Amino acid sequence: MAASLKIRTPQEAVARIAYLASDVIISVQPAQATESEFSAHLHRYAGRKDSSLVATGDGGVPEIRATRHNADPLFSVFAPIRAGRLVSVTTSSTILVSSVPHLYRLANYPLVIHVALQPSPYPDYSSITSIRNCGFTLLQSETLQEAQDMALTAHALAMRSGKGVIHFFGAGSSEHDNSIEFEDPAVVLNVIDLDLVRALQNCKTRDSTVHADDGRLAKITETPIPNFNALVPGPGRLSPPPAGIARSGDIVSKASSVGSSQSRQSSVESRPSVSSTTTVDSTTRPITSDDIHVIISGIWERLNKAVGRNYTPFQYSGPSDAESAVAIFGSDAGAFAETIDGARSDDVYAKAGLITVRLYRPWLGATFVQALPESVKRLAVLEQIRRKTTKWGPLFLDILTALKGGPADGVETVVGHQLGFLAPETVQQALRGILQNLKLPTPIQNLEVGSGDIPTEALQPYELAQPTLESAYMKILNQVFGQRLYVANALGSNHAGISATISSSPEFGFGSLLARKMHRQRFINEVLQAIKSKSFTTEAPTTSLLEWVECIDDEKRSSELAPEVIARLSTDGSALSSTLLSSKKFFQKESYWLIGSEAWAYDLGNSGVHHVIASGENINMLIIDSTPHSEQSAKNAARRKKDIGLYAMNFGNAYVASVAVYSSYTQVLQAMIEADQFNGPSVVMAYLPYFKENDSPLTILQETKKAVDFGYWPLFRWNPLNEDSDGPCFSLDSERIKKELKEFLARDNHLTQLMKRNPELSSNLSEDYGSEVRALQKRKAKDAYDALLEGLFGAPLTILYASDNGNATGLAMRLGNRGKARGLKTTVLAMEDYPVEDLPREENVVLITSTAGQGEFPQNGRALWDSIKDNTDFDLASVNYSVFALGDSHYWPRKEDKHYYNKPGKDLDKTLAALGGKRLADVGLGDDQDPDGLQTGYQLWEPKIWKALGVDNVDGLPEDPPPITNEDIKLASNYLRGTIVEGLDDKNTGAISASDSQLTKFHGTYMQDDRDLRDERKSQGLEPAYSFMIRCRLPGGVATPRQWIQMDDISNEFGNETMKLTTRQTFQFHGVVKGKLKGAMRSINKALMTTLAACGDVNRNVMCSSLPTRSTFHRDVWICSKTISDHLLPATTAYHEIWLKDEDGTKTQIVGDVVQDYEPLYGPTYLPRKFKVTIAIPPHNDTDVYAHDIGLVAIEGQDGRLEGFNLLAGGGMGVTHNNKKTYPRTGSSLGFVSKEDVHIACEKIMLIQRDHGDRKNRKHARLKYTIDDMGVDVFRSKVEELWGQKFEQERGFHFQSNVDTFGWQKDEDNLNHFTFFIENGRIEDTAEFPMKSGLREIAMVHKGEFRLTGNQHLIISNVANEDLDNIKTLMNTYKLDNVQFSGLRLSSSACVAFPTCGLAMAESERYLPELITKLEGVIEDNGLRHDSIVMRMTGCPNGCARPWLAEVAFVGKAYGAYNMYLGGGYHGHRLNKLYRSSIKEEEILEIMKPLLKRYSLERNEGEHFGDFCIRIGMVKPTMEGKTFHDDVAEEESDAD
């Protein structure tokens, strides 16, 4: 490792040695987000890619595995060390005692554990003495230089002895040491011996469970040698033991580690050479303390020769004729030594000696005695141990045993002391007292030296750490049980005199709960005695108490009576009443809970978990597991912890549930309630995966979804008492379960019963978790196809493709068909489906790849690329190949990003050439910016392939069939029927066909798949996690309270338990699987709603301003929105046939009574593209009236009622990145139309678009292009001609904003309206904010209506004054009355994007709130908290959240990268303009923070942010859609 500075701390010195001498380092940290004093250095080295001296991994960089100190960190050691990897651990001493079971099992492995004693700088050495018999060698360092040398000694000793070594130190003892030089790598290599390292790395231990001792034992092989001293010292040879240490004959020791059933080669050094004429017999025996002494002495001798520093197991300093000596086991040895060295001749301690322990275990008694001068008569033993378990200290007993059992007859007095905290200025006084006591005729034993109090700040960093989000489950418990909740071992609880580690254990909590139950029973007895005593002042308490006693075990009834009982006692005034009131908490039947972590799962038999379950007590355990599914431990069964759930289920007396708050909030509530109601022990296993404590909710959500989807964390509930009532014991709340759980259920036929109840789950349940073998699938598919081609003639041609949007797939399929037509034996496969080991045997290969992300391979091409990019074994000398790449030369406008253009294809071409491949043709480049897009480059490249293969001149080739377009699909669909019914009935897949997925849009549903799970499922050989989005048609966004409740039910029963309020003012449901699709559609229709025409190439949901302050006027406008919606509704009966018929064919339709089977407005091909209508009511443009195909501005008449509308046409938001032929557009005014004629005017505009819109190019098919192609005047005249009327002159109006007004408002009828802030329209329950539940409760009592706004918010409307208090109380209870957010957040909006939208290129809804949070600091600092700045974000350029009208917008370009737009009009009237392209969060913040500050300082009075950006020259104004791409701040240039 390169270094320019000196080492200043022992942690750094140790970290450097561990890094150089390890394959794997387990970095134990207070919290994953908090670096330890070791890990900060380790991560820095790894980040620089510094090479280790021994690591065999990628680049010689050791693997750093961070783990929390309270998550059983030593469990992570077993897998790598058994795989022959050199493992070290860096940790504080807090983990040692709780890790004792693991230490015993690891003692016979060459593991090194570096321990910084805590609390620093006042460490407690009892952490070391408590584990002194665990079998590890224990090695101490005291100074900074010793820390470096003992760390190296520890690694060398572990390798040579085959036994574990714990190197411990108190960092505070060296805080004043001078800095030291960095280690010399040559010295390190000499001491550890690289040949020995490689021998260790080549040895692996058989698989074994970590829950039982595998019988491993470190042994030593002895070979007699004629003359030990004749051996030449060298790597691996042991130096002779020092004088006075007995040898086992003249031998050379070879230590090895041997498993219980198989021998293992030496883990030390090569055997010395012996003459071939000499017969040598070897013996093997367990390694002994003397062997450790021999080995460590040899290491220290080698170190001494290299660096001149000498070490022995015990270090004595002082006069050789000293009569008194002090033995110290603590951090103050240096201070004592300095004090003795500076003593005056008359000081009592002037001639005292000092001895410290370097090798604590094995305890070498004879060596200790030899280290003491023979003159010593009196010895004081100081031990820095704060948790003594015996009267005498461990070191005192060791020393006493050594002195009494050895030749140390001269030592007459040994006195033990407990060493506490000593301030530097008190050391002299302490030493004087020690020596004075030592010289007394009868010294006092066990005196405490110094203070026993530890400064509290030293303890804080190592209290139990929990992530910020881990409080989620505690909040749910509080929500469900309120004052009834009692958590015995909650973090932060005050348990006097008991450490947090102990008080958070299951044993402590169990005892605490039993005591709590005894206290309540004692209280009940006191109540019974009180009733009999007649000592109350009045009769009222007795009556209430009698009623309460009768239902003390009825949680609900006793809780209902408790307030009355307490009230009666409070007014009684007697002493007895006061006594009972002092324990009034016991009047409610408490819900008892223990809260634990996955650390409880590692040793169930010896933990409190077992005792709780076995006790049968009515106690609930909530065990939070935080291991992410994507961590390696989730995939390695040998490293999996025990399953507490199965453990409890096997007892048969426990309720068990497995829940995940980020998967199903409702299921968490249900499980907690059922656990509380269960009369017996309950175990609720709760999943909350995180890598670091400050992980975002998005990260936790994604990890949770993966774990649940793959059965790693199944959601279920197990109630054994249900068997008595013939109910199901097991309820599965997710789709997949893991193998172990399936085996348990199968034992008692529960699995069969579950499959019978839910046949749609059968295929999923029968697939064991992780059993799909992707490689085998590839091989079988490829072999089968090869066999099929065997009988064909012609040259072989293998075509491999990687595609993320279908373009590369289409080219590959077409190329394959053309190859077959030319007589070639063609194989077309996705790159991920191709067995890459076949590549050297191919004759001709063509590879076609698109470009994803920042110049990356699409997902289905990454596996092949990863296999060949660094592979030097492939020989492709006999392979002919060519590559065609698809990309966009304008996608990366900055020069530093130009290399991303078609990077995958270019890299693939170079790599195949480097492996010896011969080009059939140079790499072809398809560019979206060429006149014909990618076809321009493709048409030049393809003929070269046929020519190279000799099939370019083939006669009679068939014409390529034209591609199937959306127009073809619509025409052939029989009025939107297609094969939707057949697709819904197909149980073999969760998907429907591609053509049907286009048609279902007209029915209001999109097929999607969960992109959070896409890659993982692909790697498992599974199809994507298909589901459907359903969008309702809700004209004007007005719903009744009953409809709200029905929508809430639908989201719970059929969807993902959330609702989305869309930017089109309607409800949207996500996560509806195919089997539930028809049920969801029926339920929506039963709610007097429909989904017909909510999507597709038809007129979609008609929007209308919410206008809470003008209810009468709003009603007039809303009626028009409904009239337009109904008038433009498709007439096909397909919707009713497909979704609303029962199994017997009878209709259950509620909405509509359509019998005709033709489309009088749309015709068989409907519209060229989607068509959108909105209405705005000045002064609020809260529906973005300029952004739609038709925008209607409501005009008020003289009487205050609706007169008519100014009609705008040609607005639209959809754009394609870097395609300047596509652009957003604001609507153009056609004039005024009366309210009576408005629906006819809308119809005629739609019909002109139907007949004149572009049906050949869907990117040019919207009305905005039709109008621009015709010109506004020509278009207007065509509409008027078809209509038979003319538009009137438009009327005046004025907009003030296009955002919502939050909080309470009154209308002209004195009714009340409240606008809720619903961030990005997502209605859901979380532990912090039970919004969905609260809105449902309001809907249960509300008598008015709900209005959805075009900005994704919600208004509860028409609340009468007499109902106001009740509504306000509910709002307060569920935190729904909070609108005190920043103006920026209140004015923000985002589309759904990931994980469900197939078009998303970047996050949107899940990311925008985080971005705003990072900007709110500068907003607060600059006085902008209440300023409305319209910010919008979308995951792609299609514009669902209408970003092009925002003052500042971020439009997804690639994952994590966005185009930034500035200058939109605050009133929604002006388009913005590109400011920066493809920027990430860091750049966004670098731009926005100073810009916001500048805005606060330089803006004019009343100037909005978008106007300000234009005035100061950040961007130029966009005057019309056709100039959207002109004069951008960052010009997009051609690729190099």
Side-chain angles (χ1 to χ4, degrees), residues 1071-1085:
V1072 182
V1073 296
K1074 189 171 75 173
K1076 295 182 178 181
L1077 194 54
K1078 187 176 289 188
M1081 293 292 207
R1082 289 177 178 175
S1083 296
I1084 290 170
N1085 274 261

Side-chain angles (χ1 to χ4, degrees), residues 904-1093:
K906 293 175 181 177
D907 289 348
L908 193 55
D909 177 69
K910 292 176 183 176
T911 299
L912 293 174
L915 293 172
K918 300 170 185 175
R919 290 186 178 92
L920 290 166
D922 289 338
V923 61
L925 301 177
D927 189 351
D928 283 351
Q929 297 303 315
D930 285 339
D932 295 320
L934 63 90
Q935 289 295 333
T936 302
Y938 183 79
Q939 289 168 7
L940 295 173
W941 173 81
E942 184 186 316
K944 298 176 183 177
I945 301 299
W946 305 140
K947 185 174 182 180
L949 293 172
V951 292
D952 50 328
N953 296 316
V954 177
D955 296 329
L957 292 175
E959 291 290 330
D960 287 332
I964 297 175
T965 66
N966 282 61
E967 296 302 309
D968 298 324
I969 293 172
K970 288 185 284 186
L971 186 61
S973 71
N974 187 17
Y975 294 96
L976 307 181
R977 288 171 175 79
T979 56
I980 294 174
V981 171
E982 292 82 355
L984 293 174
D985 291 339
D986 184 357
K987 301 297 189 293
N988 294 316
T989 175
I992 56 177
S993 70
S995 59
D996 284 341
S997 69
Q998 294 299 318
L999 296 176
T1000 55
K1001 295 178 183 179
F1002 292 79
H1003 298 259
T1005 181
Y1006 279 75
M1007 185 175 73
Q1008 303 175 325
D1009 76 287
D1010 194 325
R1011 296 175 67 180
D1012 285 341
L1013 305 174
R1014 185 183 287 178
D1015 293 353
E1016 192 82 16
R1017 289 182 70 89
K1018 183 79 82 170
S1019 68
Q1020 294 286 335
L1022 302 173
E1023 73 173 10
Y1026 290 114
S1027 65
F1028 291 78
M1029 177 273 284
I1030 301 177
R1031 184 182 298 152
C1032 295
R1033 186 181 180 92
L1034 188 68
V1038 176
T1040 67
R1042 176 171 172 76
Q1043 286 175 322
W1044 181 275
I1045 294 170
Q1046 289 170 310
M1047 296 299 103
D1048 187 78
D1049 289 339
I1050 290 167
S1051 71
N1052 291 334
E1053 184 177 353
F1054 301 104
N1056 63 359
E1057 300 180 7
T1058 74
M1059 292 189 293
K1060 175 78 170 179
L1061 307 185
T1062 76
T1063 53
R1064 293 214 58 76
Q1065 236 176 351
T1066 188
F1067 296 100
Q1068 193 163 285
F1069 305 102
H1070 290 271
V1072 182
V1073 296
K1074 189 171 75 173
K1076 295 182 178 181
L1077 194 54
K1078 187 176 289 188
M1081 293 292 207
R1082 289 177 178 175
S1083 296
I1084 290 170
N1085 274 261
K1086 288 177 183 177
L1088 300 180
M1089 291 188 194
T1090 181
T1091 66
L1092 177 61

Side-chain angles (χ1 to χ4, degrees), residues 328-368:
I328 299 181
F329 193 53
S331 59
D332 292 317
F336 278 94
E338 290 178 4
T339 302
I340 292 174
D341 290 344
R344 300 190 304 271
S345 59
D346 59 343
D347 282 333
V348 67
Y349 50 78
K351 293 185 178 181
L354 192 71
I355 188 166
T356 56
V357 179
R358 185 165 290 115
L359 180 63
Y360 178 51
R361 280 297 182 274
W363 175 255
L364 304 176
T367 307
F368 175 83

Side-chain angles (χ1 to χ4, degrees), residues 626-648:
S626 58
T627 304
H629 166 258
S630 56
E631 280 190 354
Q632 192 63 30
S633 59
K635 301 175 183 176
N636 187 340
R639 297 182 61 210
R640 288 283 299 278
K641 50 190 170 287
K642 287 186 178 178
D643 191 318
I644 291 180
L646 283 179
Y647 190 80

Side-chain angles (χ1 to χ4, degrees), residues 47-87:
R48 294 193 309 237
K49 303 294 183 183
D50 291 347
S51 295
S52 163
L53 295 176
V54 305
T56 57
D58 187 21
V61 176
E63 180 184 354
I64 314 296
R65 295 185 183 176
T67 181
R68 298 183 300 280
H69 74 104
N70 58 352
D72 200 28
L74 293 193
F75 186 70
S76 301
V77 171
F78 287 94
I81 205 163
R82 285 173 169 169
R85 305 181 76 184
L86 296 177
V87 181

Side-chain angles (χ1 to χ4, degrees), residues 657-660 664-672 714-717 731 733-734 1057:
S658 177
V659 304
S664 176
Y665 178 88
T666 304
Q667 192 239 3
V668 177
L669 294 177
Q670 188 173 4
M672 288 180 172
L715 306 184
F716 67 84
R717 288 165 291 123
S731 299
D733 300 314
S734 59
E1057 300 180 7

